[in-house]
């Protein structure tokens, strides 16, 4: 049994990925690049698994914070790796990735969860107050980070000045920190149904040894993902250019890689008639993606004097407003149906289509 645990893919993948990078196999041939991309993707999945093990051991509210920080480190590491490539789209990679993450979560993850759950159970019920709380926090952060930069006058263009960037980063952290207190301390009952609470109590926390092993492997996974992303950034950018797509597609690819593990978990919960868990995972990931990633990117860019664009163009603002409005309407009544899911998935298709064919 112990041997079986040692050869589990979440243990083997980080070690193989680290060896693959350290021995210089990356970027040797197209074949090794494909292997590197698969290892990068697998390392992201393994990192989230080990973060969940650590989070389960420490419990709430610290478990939620650990998962959010893990996802943020992955996203920030991937974004910075691509920004340092110095390519044409380097200035907008942070904005494009955060925007893509929000659009994929609101339209894709929630859309699939609602559609699958409603097709199987007709209607699924959740606590409407939880969705309202997520969306109030998320909308405020989205406006401050992705829309307001277009209308400030200290800097020309969709940029923030250093002082404005510091203020917005602190505002995001304040909103996100207050939300965590609300979710995990003062109003936990808004986010956890009785059946979820019983399931959580039934699952025994991992042993201290397993937790420490997962923490060590989590650190390896995060380092591997960041370094391999830096090595693969020219390859991914070259692929996007070769198919004639705009560089915004790189942001979509980064967001997809980061969000896939949480997305699969949310879809699995919806199939098991736990739509509240799906909403917690989806909207929680969106809130962390913006509320933690933008401040982290801001700190790195201020320290190393790296300029970056935050403001969206008008087409993107319209798509974002449409997505937020549809999600608000879909989650306002505390129950879902497959029409809501279909409309959200059409919104996602419109977003991806307009990225490729602007």
């Amino acid at each position: 049994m112990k041997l079986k645990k040692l050869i589990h893919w979440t243990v083997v993948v980080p070690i193989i990925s680290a060896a693959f990078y350290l021995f210089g196999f990356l970027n040797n041939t197209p074949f090794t690049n494909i292997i590197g991309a698969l290892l990068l993707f697998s390392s992201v999945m393994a990192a989230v698994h080990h973060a969940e093990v650590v989070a389960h051991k420490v419990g709430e509210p610290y478990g939620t914070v650990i998962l959010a920080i893990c996802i943020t480190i992955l996203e920030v590491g991937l974004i910075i790796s691509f920004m340092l490539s110095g390519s044409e789209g380097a200035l907008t990679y942070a904005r494009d990735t955060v925007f893509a993450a929000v659009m994929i979560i609101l339209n894709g993850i929630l859309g699939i969860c609602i559609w699958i759950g409603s097709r199987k159970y007709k209607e699924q019920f959740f606590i409407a107050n939880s969705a309202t709380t997520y969306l109030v926090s998320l909308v405020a952060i989205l406006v401050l980070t992705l829309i307001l930069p277009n209308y400030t006058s200290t800097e020309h263009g969709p940029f923030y000045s250093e002082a404005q960037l510091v203020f917005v980063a602190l505002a995001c952290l304040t909103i996100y920190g207050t939300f965590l207190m609300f979710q995990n301390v003062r109003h936990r009952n808004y986010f956890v149904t009785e059946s979820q609470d019983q399931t959580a109590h039934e699952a025994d926390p991992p042993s201290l040894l397993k937790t420490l092993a997962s923490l060590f492997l989590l650190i390896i996974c995060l380092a591997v993902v960041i370094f391999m992303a830096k090595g693969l950034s020219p390859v991914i950018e070259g692929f996007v250019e070769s198919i004639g797509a705009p560089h915004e597609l790189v942001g979509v690819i980064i967001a997809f890689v980061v969000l896939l593990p949480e997305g699969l978990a949310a879809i699995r919960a919806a199939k098991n008639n736990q739509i509240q868990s799906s909403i917690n995972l989806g909207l929680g990931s969106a809130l962390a993606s913006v509320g933690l990633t933008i401040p982290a990117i801001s700190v790195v860019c201020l320290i190393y004097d790296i300029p970056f664009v935050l403001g969206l163009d008008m087409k993107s603002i319209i798509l974002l407003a449409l997505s937020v409005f549809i999600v608000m309407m879909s989650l306002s009544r505390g129950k879902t149906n497959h029409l809501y899911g279909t409309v959200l998935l059409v919104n996602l298709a419109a977003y991806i289509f307009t990225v490729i064919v602007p």
Side-chain angles (χ1 to χ4, degrees):
M1 183 61 116
K2 291 183 178 179
L3 181 62
K4 195 173 182 180
K5 290 181 179 179
L6 286 175
I7 60 173
H8 193 266
W9 72 269
T10 57
V11 177
V12 174
V13 164
I15 297 172
I16 293 177
S17 300
F20 189 86
Y21 177 80
L22 291 173
F23 286 106
F25 293 120
L26 200 61
N27 288 332
N28 284 346
T29 65
F31 177 74
T32 56
N33 286 334
I34 293 173
I35 298 296
L38 292 173
L39 289 174
L40 170 65
F41 174 77
S42 300
S43 297
V44 171
M45 302 282 284
V48 175
H49 166 80
H50 292 300
E52 288 175 343
V53 172
V54 177
H56 189 194
K57 178 66 175 178
V58 301
E60 296 296 348
Y62 308 107
T64 301
V65 176
I66 288 173
L67 283 170
I69 290 174
C70 172
I71 296 296
T72 302
I73 292 173
L74 286 171
E75 190 168 9
V76 171
L78 289 169
I79 291 171
I80 293 296
S81 298
F82 279 84
M83 289 178 72
L84 293 176
S85 67
S87 63
E88 181 185 351
L91 283 175
T92 62
Y93 278 151
R95 179 200 68 187
D96 295 340
T97 302
V98 169
F99 177 55
V102 171
M103 294 296 286
I104 290 171
I105 291 168
L106 294 184
N107 297 299
I109 293 177
L110 287 183
I112 293 173
C113 289
I114 291 172
W115 193 88
I116 288 178
S118 299
R119 294 296 294 181
K120 187 173 182 180
Y121 301 102
K122 292 190 178 179
E123 286 185 333
Q124 290 182 299
F125 298 87
F126 59 92
I127 303 169
N129 284 335
S130 65
T132 302
T133 307
Y134 278 119
L135 290 169
V136 165
S137 306
L138 181 61
V139 169
I141 292 177
L142 286 173
V143 172
L144 288 173
T145 56
L146 299 180
I147 297 177
L148 187 60
N150 292 325
Y151 301 99
T152 55
S153 55
T154 303
E155 293 279 347
H156 293 291
F159 295 89
Y160 271 139
S161 66
E162 289 188 4
Q164 291 169 336
L165 203 55
V166 170
F167 172 79
V168 169
L170 290 174
C172 290
L173 291 175
T174 300
I175 293 173
Y176 187 74
T178 305
F179 170 81
L180 284 182
M181 288 292 294
F182 186 93
Q183 180 191 36
N184 294 293
V185 180
R186 296 184 67 87
H187 293 282
R188 187 173 181 270
N189 58 305
Y190 283 8
F191 303 89
V192 181
T193 61
E194 187 176 344
S195 61
Q196 289 175 305
D197 217 9
Q198 290 172 352
T199 302
H201 287 304
E202 287 171 4
D204 294 327
S207 65
L208 178 61
L209 181 61
K210 184 177 180 180
T211 304
L212 292 175
S214 286
L215 181 61
F216 175 71
L217 289 167
L218 172 61
I219 294 170
I220 293 178
C221 286
L222 294 175
V224 165
V225 167
I226 292 169
F227 285 116
M228 290 191 72
K230 189 174 186 303
L232 286 170
S233 58
V235 178
I236 296 174
E237 289 168 344
F239 167 75
V240 170
E241 289 178 6
S242 69
I243 63 174
H247 58 76
E248 286 88 348
L249 186 59
V250 176
V252 177
I253 294 172
I254 297 173
F256 177 78
V257 171
V258 172
L259 293 173
L260 188 60
E262 293 296 287
L264 292 175
I267 294 168
R268 190 161 53 244
K271 289 176 67 176
N272 294 330
N273 202 21
Q274 295 177 343
I275 194 66
Q276 183 66 59
S277 292
S278 301
I279 292 171
N280 290 346
L281 285 165
L283 293 180
S285 296
L287 194 55
S289 180
V290 189
L292 292 180
T293 299
I294 294 297
I297 292 288
S298 300
V299 169
V300 173
C301 290
L302 286 173
I303 291 174
Y304 294 100
D305 195 27
I306 303 172
F308 71 107
V309 172
L310 272 178
L312 294 170
D313 56 29
M314 187 52 65
K315 177 196 72 176
S316 298
I317 290 175
I318 292 171
L319 288 171
L320 178 62
L322 174 64
S323 300
V324 170
F325 178 73
I326 297 298
V327 169
M328 282 183 166
M329 296 295 291
S330 300
L331 302 182
S332 63
R333 298 168 58 231
K335 60 182 179 179
T336 64
N337 63 59
H338 75 275
L339 174 62
Y340 299 157
T342 301
V343 173
L344 288 171
L345 291 173
V346 171
N347 287 349
L348 177 67
Y351 162 64
I352 294 176
F353 181 78
T354 54
V355 167
I356 299 173
V357 186

